Amino acid sequence: MFQKILIANRGEIALRVQRACRELGIATVAVHSTADAEAMHVRLADESVCIGPPAARGSYLNSHAILSAASITGADAIHPGYGFLSENADFAEMVEAHGLTFIGPSPAHIRMMGDKIAAKEAMAALGVPLVPGSTGAVPDLAAAAEVAERIGYPVLIKAAAGGGGRGMKVARDADGLEEAFRVARAEARAGFGNDAVYVEKYLDRPRHIELQVLADAHGNVVHLGERDCSLQRRHQKLLEEAGSPVLTPVMRDQLGGTVTSALRRLGYRNAGTLEFLFQDGQFAFIEMNTRLQVEHPVTEMVCGIDLVREQIRIADGAPLGYAQTDILFSGHAIECRINAEDPESFAPSPGLVTAFHAPGGLGVRVDSALYAGYQVPPYYDSLIAKLVVHAPTRAGAIARLRRALDEFAIVGVSTTIPLHRRIVDDPAFQAGEYTIHWLERFVSDADRTG
Ligand code: ADP
C-alpha cells in the first residue's frame, strides 16, 4: 500500500481525500497557492508545500511544481480530486513517467473521454445509446445544417473539448443555426484551443441521470447506482439526489448492465461516471467523467462505500473484493452545493467568514473546508460546502434537509443556502417532478415576482 499521497487540489475535496488516506493509515501531502497558506487542507495535512501564486495556472494547474512537491516529500502517489488536473491525460502521463501512481484511470482513457466525439464513438461501438446527432465533428455550417435537417430542430452545437457547460449553443431553427455554429466554434477555440464541434438533438425536457462505476485492474466492474443531477443553472449542478425520483430498480439494473459490460470491454480502471439524458423512458449518453465527481457523497450515503478509499485501493492494484450483487442501495440521499454567491444574482461573494456553524445530527454530512475567520479567496470555484443528508425515504431526506439548512449558519459571505431553502419548499421539487430546465425557470420566476 502507498505510504504517502500528495493531494493535488484544495478546499473541501482536498480534505475529503485526506480523510480517506488517514483511515487507510497513509500520510498526506497538501499543496497550496500563496492565497491558501491558511487553508484547512493545509492545516490538517501531515506536510504541505507551497506551489505558486494565487492564480491556478501558476499553482494548482502547475504540473511541474506539483511533481517537484511530490518528489521533495517522497510521495508515492498523486490524487487529483476533481477539476484542475484531474482530467488532464498529459499530467497523468507525467506522474507515471516520474515513477509515481496517478490515482485515476489510464491516460489513454482520460484522453479518449476528454474528447466528447471520441467518447460518443467508443460508447456507441460498445452498445451504449446516444443522443441522436452527427457522427463525429461537423466541418462546416452546411454539414451542420444537413444533420439538423435530418434529426430535426432544435439542435445543440457542442464543443468536442467542452466542459463546465461552455462551448454549447442551441439553434431553435434553420435561421438560428449560423449564429449558434459560429459562437460555439469561437467559444471552443478560445476556451479549449480546439474548435471541433458536433451537433446533437436538443432535448426539451430531459433529466440528467448519471451512473457511478468502479472498475479494478483485474476486470471487475460494478456500478453504484445513479444520481439525478437535473437541478442545474447554466448547465451547472446545484442539487443532486441518489437515487433518481423517476428510476425504478429494473431500469437501474438495465442501465447498469449495459454500462458495466461496456466498461469491461473497454478495460476501464478506477472510478468513473457516465452522464445520460433521460426522456420518455430512454437513456442517451452525453459524456463520461474519468474522475471523482463533486456529487459523489450521495452515492456513498446510499451504498455505504467510500469512493475515495476504493480509488486508492484500485490504484494500488487491489481487487474490488465484491460483486454487483453485494452492493445494496439503502434509503435516499440529497446534496446541496453551497456556493459563496449571491443567491439571486449568482455573483461570486468572496470575503471573510465571520461565523460558521455546520448542522449535525443523524443522517447529516457536511463536506467543507470553511471555518470562522477564513477568508474565501476570489481566485477559485465558489463552492464552499456540500450539505448531504440521508434518510430511509425521499420524504424523510427532504424533511432532514430543510432542518439542516435551517441550522446552517455562514456569516460574512452570501451563499446559496436561501435558494436551497426555497427549492426544498417547492411542491414540484417535493414531488420529484423536474427536468434540467426547471431550476432556470424557478430562479427567473422569483426575479419577476420580486
Ligand atoms: P459539460 O461537459 O460542459 O458539462 P455536458 O455534455 O455534460 O457538458 O452537458 C451539460 C448539461 O447540458 C447537461 O447536464 C444538460 O443539462 C445539458 N445538455 C447537454 N446535452 C444536451 C442535449 N442534447 N439536450 C438538452 N440539454 C443538454
Side-chain angles (χ1 to χ4, degrees):
M1 187 47 104
F2 306 122
Q3 301 294 309
K4 195 185 270 190
I5 292 179
L6 180 142
I7 301 159
N9 218 301
R10 64 180 300 282
E12 69 85 19
I13 196 62
L15 276 188
R16 167 70 193 87
V17 178
Q18 277 181 22
R19 289 178 174 136
C21 291
R22 199 147 289 140
E23 289 180 19
L24 285 164
I26 300 171
T28 58
V29 181
V31 292
H32 66 91
S33 69
T34 49
D36 276 342
E38 301 296 319
M40 195 57 98
H41 79 278
V42 177
R43 295 182 176 199
L44 292 184
D46 295 308
E47 286 172 79
S48 63
V49 181
C50 180
I51 50 166
R57 191 186 299 274
S59 49
Y60 298 105
L61 290 171
N62 183 345
S63 38
H64 296 284
I66 292 169
L67 281 166
S68 302
S71 130
I72 296 165
T73 54
D76 40 16
I78 297 187
H79 194 300
Y82 54 66
F84 295 130
L85 294 166
S86 62
E87 288 178 294
N88 185 317
D90 294 339
F91 177 66
E93 245 158 27
M94 281 170 74
V95 171
E96 312 259 292
H98 279 72
L100 307 179
T101 303
F102 179 78
I103 300 176
S106 70
H109 284 145
I110 298 176
R111 195 163 280 131
M112 172 190 273
M113 299 307 167
D115 177 339
K116 294 184 173 194
I117 293 175
K120 285 183 80 168
E121 279 171 2
M123 286 303 160
L126 293 165
V128 177
L130 306 183
V131 182
S134 57
T135 319
V138 281
D140 51 34
L141 182 63
E146 206 177 295
V147 177
E149 290 301 332
R150 178 168 55 77
I151 60 177
Y153 286 93
V155 297
L156 202 52
I157 312 290
K158 284 175 134 179
R166 284 172 305 147
M168 217 188 288
K169 288 285 160 244
V170 184
R172 300 264 158 213
D173 48 34
D175 292 341
L177 189 68
E178 203 226 308
E179 192 187 339
F181 185 79
R182 190 169 36 78
V183 175
R185 233 189 173 167
E187 271 186 21
R189 196 179 308 122
F192 313 108
N194 170 0
D195 70 359
V197 294
Y198 60 103
V199 183
E200 241 177 34
K201 176 89 187 158
Y202 179 73
L203 301 180
D204 57 352
R205 50 192 162 78
R207 299 181 76 109
H208 172 120
I209 295 181
E210 57 187 34
L211 200 77
Q212 175 70 55
V213 294
L214 280 177
D216 67 15
H218 311 278
N220 303 302
V221 185
V222 297
H223 73 84
L224 302 186
E226 80 285 0
R227 294 183 286 259
D228 196 318
C229 312
S230 304
L231 286 193
Q232 305 179 352
R233 183 181 162 270
R234 302 212 171 141
H235 307 304
Q236 300 290 319
K237 300 162 187 167
L238 206 72
L239 180 151
E240 302 96 347
E241 308 194 48
S244 167
V246 297
L247 223 60
T248 63
V250 172
M251 290 153 96
R252 174 189 297 150
D253 285 351
Q254 276 171 355
L255 181 68
T258 306
V259 165
T260 49
S261 82
L263 292 188
R264 205 170 287 122
R265 280 162 63 199
L266 197 64
Y268 189 81
R269 192 190 65 219
N270 215 283
T273 296
L274 283 91
E275 298 191 333
F276 294 88
L277 295 179
F278 178 72
Q279 181 172 312
D280 302 325
Q282 304 288 322
F283 283 101
F285 171 80
I286 47 172
E287 69 163 339
M288 177 166 184
N289 292 318
T290 53
R291 56 167 164 85
L292 193 67
Q293 306 261 115
V294 175
E295 60 273 22
H296 76 277
V298 288
T299 300
E300 297 186 320
M301 302 305 269
V302 296
C303 295
I305 290 177
D306 178 334
L307 277 163
V308 179
R309 177 191 172 94
E310 294 308 289
Q311 284 192 295
I312 296 171
R313 286 181 53 241
I314 290 168
D316 191 45
L320 283 182
Y322 43 84
Q324 189 65 54
T325 47
D326 296 321
I327 293 165
L328 304 175
F329 301 100
S330 152
H332 193 88
I334 306 179
E335 173 185 278
C336 290
R337 296 192 191 196
I338 317 257
N339 298 330
E341 284 171 4
D342 182 285
E344 261 138 50
S345 69
F346 296 95
S349 174
L352 181 68
V353 176
T354 51
F356 177 77
H357 173 77
L362 181 63
V364 175
R365 164 176 172 180
V366 176
D367 281 20
S368 175
L370 277 199
Y371 57 88
Y374 176 67
Q375 185 83 35
V376 178
Y379 312 104
Y380 313 108
D381 191 273
S382 61
L383 181 79
I384 49 170
K386 303 188 310 204
L387 169 60
V388 188
V389 296
H390 182 227
T393 62
R394 185 168 185 270
I398 290 174
R400 187 157 280 167
L401 182 57
R402 182 185 294 110
R403 180 281 275 175
L405 284 165
D406 284 343
E407 269 178 45
F408 216 146
I410 301 176
V411 185
V413 296
S414 297
T415 76
T416 45
I417 291 175
L419 173 62
H420 285 297
R421 287 204 186 108
R422 288 203 293 119
I423 293 172
V424 165
D425 283 336
D426 187 85
F429 171 73
Q430 288 170 4
E433 285 162 5
Y434 54 78
T435 71
I436 59 166
H437 306 301
W438 185 83
L439 184 62
E440 209 85 54
R441 260 172 245 144
F442 182 74
V443 172
S444 60
D445 286 354
D447 282 352
R448 271 196 300 280
T449 53

